[in-house]
């Protein structure tokens, strides 16, 4: 069998956007034997992919015309709009499927779904929850929302990306909403870690010295994410083992130590302020998560 015949039998996919993530997606599709067409705003980022067998399109519309399914992965939805909403691209995508793996807000996902419906484009929204290095491996995590049949029909192509693919429901903003909630955890934790390193350095402790203990602190969190989840959903926040009055005191120590070293403590001041408000409203014996009700009263 000639290689061209082999290729002809393979599913096709187009990837728009060749940043680190777009390149990883296109690379995994190639690795799985799909016929891959790629395009990126700035020329030259496709070189290695083309060497591995991808077809380089001269324009986004040419790329979109090459496949029934187009995966978009660019910096945000302003960038995705700049590509998809050009009339030539929109016209080409009519009757085809777009899977948007670009990260942005649930509102932007809903707006894009409306645009797609208005132009006869099948639209699935998605979020990638793991780094580019995981793509094509069992560690990759993809979330989707939108029409179930579209997710089902796209799976033979998307599965080539490896990892776990979860459809979260038909409400198109849901994947982005999970993405936001999960990135909220990640970046708030990273901000805390950066602050901890700044304070530790001021006290003569290196990142290397702190690392083993930092890992121990981080390991406390995963079990907490599963603890009392039903109570949390019902607005009950037990503080039996660690009342919020005690938390406020611990947070104050962090603030005082930071400010003694002239280190900005505004992150911790914000958290401590929420905790103090919960205490002020008579919830001092509850746990720290009572602050959820301060931020978003039910
Ligand atoms: P970036 O977020 O830096 O996105 C770079 C891509 O966006 C390039 O293709 C770039 O094109 C394109 N782009 C930017 N502005 C425009 C524009 N105005 N018009 C057209 N294209 C534009 O890199 P990543 O590839 O890493 O990320 C892509 C998406 O994947 C993001 O939404 C990110 O949050 C998400 N993601 C990334 C992860 C990672 O590990 N990298 C992990 C999980 C999610 P050009 O080359 O021309 O500048």
């Amino acid at each position: 069998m000639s290689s061209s015949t082999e290729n002809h039998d393979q599913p096709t996919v187009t990837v728009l956007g060749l940043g680190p993530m777009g390149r990883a997606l296109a690379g995994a599709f190639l690795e799985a034997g799909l016929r891959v067409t790629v395009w990126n705003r700035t020329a030259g980022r496709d070189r290695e992919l083309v060497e591995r067998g991808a077809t380089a399109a001269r324009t986004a519309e040419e790329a979109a015309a090459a496949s029934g399914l187009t995966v978009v992965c660019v910096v945000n939805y302003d960038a995705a709009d700049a590509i998809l909403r050009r009339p030539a691209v929109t016209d080409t995508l009519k009757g085809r499927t777009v899977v948007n793996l670009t990260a942005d807000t649930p509102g932007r996902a809903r707006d894009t779904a409306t645009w797609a419906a208005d132009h006869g484009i099948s639209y699935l929204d998605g979020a990638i929850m793991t780094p580019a290095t995981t793509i094509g491996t069992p560690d990759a995590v993809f979330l989707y929302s939108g029409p179930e049949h579209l997710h089902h029909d796209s799976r033979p192509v998307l599965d080539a990306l490896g990892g776990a693919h979860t459809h979260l429901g038909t409400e198109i903003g849901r994947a982005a909403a999970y993405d936001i909630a999960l990135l909220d955890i990640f970046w708030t934790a990273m901000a805390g870690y950066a602050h901890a390193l700044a304070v530790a350095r001021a006290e003569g402790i290196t990142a290397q010295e702190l690392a083993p203990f930092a890992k121990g602190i981080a390991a406390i969190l995963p079990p907490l994410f599963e603890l009392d989840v039903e109570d949390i959903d019902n607005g009950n926040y037990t503080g039996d083992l660690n009342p919020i009055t005690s938390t406020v005191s611990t947070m104050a120590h962090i603030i005082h130590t930071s400010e003694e070293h002239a280190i900005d403590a505004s992150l911790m001041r914000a958290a401590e302020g929420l905790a103090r408000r919960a205490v002020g409203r008579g919830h001092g014996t509850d746990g720290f998560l009572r602050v959820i009700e301060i931020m978003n009263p039910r």
Side-chain angles (χ1 to χ4, degrees):
M1 190 191 278
S2 74
S3 64
S4 62
T5 314
E6 262 171 24
N7 276 345
H8 191 71
D9 291 339
Q10 297 301 330
T12 59
V13 65
T14 287
V15 178
L16 300 180
L18 298 175
M21 185 53 90
R23 290 200 299 274
L25 298 172
F29 285 134
L30 283 171
E31 195 65 32
L34 275 69
R35 284 193 291 149
V36 184
T37 302
V38 294
W39 176 85
N40 190 65
R41 177 184 62 170
T42 304
R45 303 219 203 283
D46 56 8
R47 198 163 300 130
E48 195 216 322
L49 293 164
V50 169
E51 278 168 17
R52 291 171 60 192
T55 301
R58 280 167 305 161
T59 61
E61 51 270 33
E62 188 182 300
S67 314
L69 192 157
T70 289
V71 171
V72 186
C73 193
V74 287
V75 62
N76 54 33
Y77 276 48
D78 283 344
D81 284 354
I83 299 167
L84 300 175
R85 301 198 190 201
R86 275 189 34 246
V89 178
T90 306
D91 289 349
T92 307
L93 287 170
K94 188 172 180 177
R96 301 175 196 265
T97 297
V98 170
V99 178
N100 196 350
L101 296 179
T102 303
D104 212 309
T105 65
R108 292 301 292 265
R110 291 179 193 119
D111 178 64
T112 306
T114 303
W115 162 84
D118 288 347
H119 292 88
I121 298 165
S122 299
Y123 184 72
L124 194 65
D125 203 80
I128 306 170
M129 301 317 311
T130 49
T133 47
T134 65
I135 305 305
T137 79
D139 294 334
V141 175
F142 299 88
L143 305 178
Y144 303 96
S145 49
E148 197 148 9
H149 69 90
L150 214 53
H151 178 247
H152 177 267
D153 294 350
S154 305
R155 281 299 293 268
V157 170
L158 298 174
D159 282 350
L161 297 172
H165 297 256
T166 305
H167 184 245
L168 297 166
T170 54
E171 200 283 296
I172 196 76
R174 208 160 161 82
Y178 270 66
D179 189 35
I180 293 296
L182 296 169
L183 291 177
D184 195 350
I185 297 171
F186 182 76
W187 284 114
T188 308
M190 285 300 286
Y193 178 49
H195 190 262
L197 289 176
V199 176
R201 191 167 73 193
E203 288 286 342
I205 303 165
T206 65
Q208 211 172 349
E209 288 170 323
L210 195 67
F213 301 94
K215 280 166 74 177
I217 281 287
I220 296 171
L221 288 175
L224 282 184
F225 296 147
E226 288 177 320
L227 190 70
D228 300 332
V229 281
E230 212 173 307
D231 280 343
I232 291 167
D233 285 338
N234 290 321
N236 300 320
Y237 306 98
T238 174
D240 288 351
L241 295 177
N242 195 357
I244 200 164
T245 43
S246 172
T247 305
V248 165
S249 170
T250 306
M251 289 176 158
H253 301 155
I254 299 167
I255 292 166
H256 294 153
T257 308
S258 307
E259 293 180 349
E260 276 165 20
H261 289 295
I263 292 170
D264 188 318
S266 52
L267 286 169
M268 187 50 67
R269 277 203 173 278
E272 191 229 17
L274 290 168
R276 275 194 194 285
R277 279 161 65 193
V279 173
R281 291 184 194 180
H283 300 294
T285 57
D286 278 359
F288 175 68
L289 291 182
R290 166 58 65 181
V291 299
I292 297 166
E293 303 298 322
I294 304 289
M295 292 187 275
N296 182 13
R298 50 188 81 217

